[in-house]
Amino acid sequence: MEMIRHLITAAFLGSALLHAQTPPPPPPPEEGGGTDGGGRSFDLSKIPVPEEDKKAAEPELSAEERQGIPIMLSVVPVGYVPPPIIKIGKDGMPREEYRHPLEYPPVVYHVKTKKGSIRVMGPQNQIGPATRIPRTSRISLSYEMPPGEEAVSDDAGPRLRMIGEFGVERDTTHLVVVLWKDPD
């Protein structure tokens, strides 16, 4: 009995020693990059952002919308997505033939504000990142129409088509809008 106990202990210790892992390599030096002189990593937070880009990234909101507590909104398009139809164009290059936008759920949405709209991304069949929108009693949601070859817009902004409008409760802090499209 004692012999079996010693054999089991030896087998356990032997397997632990055989399967031991080597320690991970040390972290790279503070200035970034590896010891082989390869690519260096840069701290992008120290790069200044041009004023034009700051203005483009910030949505235009009224004073009332800026003062209110924002709502976090996620849009989730759920349903079947057909494969793209690729055809050879007049110039010999492959081109995707666009379908009617409601044939499959779009992935670029806009929430209307008093001075414009806020763009919200909705990854297909996934819950995407939440976007801050101003608190209102009703939210108007639209989708961005994909560009067609003959439908070129001269406007500076995107072409939008209304999905719908829905009410928001007073105490709401987060919203998830699920859009469903059957494969039929």
Side-chain angles (χ1 to χ4, degrees):
M1 187 69 166
E2 189 69 28
M3 180 73 141
I4 294 174
R5 193 175 302 155
H6 287 296
L7 283 172
I8 292 174
T9 305
F12 178 71
L13 290 174
S15 69
L17 290 175
L18 287 174
H19 298 297
Q21 296 181 357
T22 59
E30 286 293 321
E31 64 272 358
T35 57
D36 61 351
R40 305 188 100 190
S41 59
F42 295 102
D43 183 9
L44 297 178
S45 65
K46 295 177 183 175
I47 298 175
V49 178
E51 288 300 319
E52 295 81 21
D53 291 346
K54 287 181 185 176
K55 292 175 187 173
E58 189 174 320
E60 293 184 31
L61 301 175
S62 68
E64 178 187 334
E65 288 172 332
R66 286 191 186 280
Q67 288 177 348
I69 298 170
I71 299 172
M72 300 303 285
L73 174 73
S74 293
V75 178
V76 184
V78 178
Y80 172 75
V81 179
I85 299 172
I86 307 293
K87 292 187 176 180
I88 303 298
K90 294 176 186 175
D91 56 357
M93 296 297 293
R95 302 241 181 248
E96 181 177 347
E97 181 180 300
Y98 286 101
R99 298 180 168 105
H100 187 277
L102 289 181
E103 185 175 339
Y104 56 94
V107 295
V108 180
Y109 304 93
H110 287 260
V111 175
K112 186 177 179 183
T113 64
K114 290 182 179 176
K115 292 187 170 186
S117 67
I118 296 176
R119 190 173 185 184
V120 179
M121 301 301 289
Q124 186 65 35
N125 294 325
Q126 302 176 42
I127 297 177
T131 304
R132 292 170 60 117
I133 62 169
R135 178 178 297 279
T136 57
S137 60
R138 299 197 63 74
I139 291 179
S140 174
L141 189 67
S142 303
Y143 66 88
E144 196 171 303
M145 295 172 56
E149 289 186 21
E150 69 279 346
V152 178
S153 176
D154 294 334
D155 301 342
R159 297 178 313 135
L160 303 178
R161 182 169 288 168
M162 180 79 149
I163 292 175
E165 204 174 82
F166 52 92
V168 178
E169 294 292 324
R170 214 175 62 201
D171 297 333
T172 302
T173 59
H174 292 74
L175 290 172
V176 175
V177 177
V178 179
L179 301 175
W180 172 260
K181 175 69 176 141
D182 282 326
D184 300 337

